[in-house]
Amino acid sequence: EELKVGTTFTLHSLIDDNLKALCQSVNQDLDIITTTYYPLENDFTMSPTSIVATDFMDLVNMYSDTSQPIYFAECGYSSSDRCNSSEEQHADFYSKVFKSS
């Protein structure tokens, strides 16, 4: 199999209005788009799980060229109440990730 070349950015960086142009310039001549996904607020608590579908749709809209597949290197969501989460939210997050992929 042929070696595929890419770099890894956070999903937030790939879709953020202030960062996406930089990420696109790096990714434009690469074989794959690779991302990590941890939906965090600025205070490092978890974003609501309802954001998953929107984040994924925004990512696919940014990188709709099917010759550059999107790979998830990491994906996670805390279950700690300290992070404004729970085991139920943790499970809901992964359910939404698999439904949205």
Side-chain angles (χ1 to χ4, degrees), residues 16-71:
D16 180 78
D17 286 336
N18 296 316
L19 301 169
K20 65 186 177 185
L22 172 64
C23 294
Q24 284 179 314
S25 70
V26 171
N27 283 325
Q28 70 184 356
D29 294 320
L30 300 177
D31 301 315
I32 61 173
I33 306 302
T34 307
T35 188
T36 60
Y37 185 51
Y38 298 93
L40 296 170
E41 297 292 328
N42 290 333
D43 63 357
F44 293 99
T45 59
M46 303 312 297
S47 298
T49 61
S50 59
I51 199 167
V52 172
T54 302
D55 283 350
F56 281 28
M57 187 174 16
D58 289 347
L59 177 64
V60 170
N61 288 337
M62 290 294 306
Y63 293 95
S64 58
D65 179 359
T66 58
S67 68
Q68 274 185 307
I70 300 169
Y71 289 80

Side-chain angles (χ1 to χ4, degrees), residues 2-3 10 15 17 20 33-34 54 64 67 77 80-81 91 95:
E2 188 177 314
L3 176 67
T10 65
I15 63 174
D17 286 336
K20 65 186 177 185
I33 306 302
T34 307
T54 302
S64 58
S67 68
Y77 197 90
S80 170
D81 61 345
S95 176

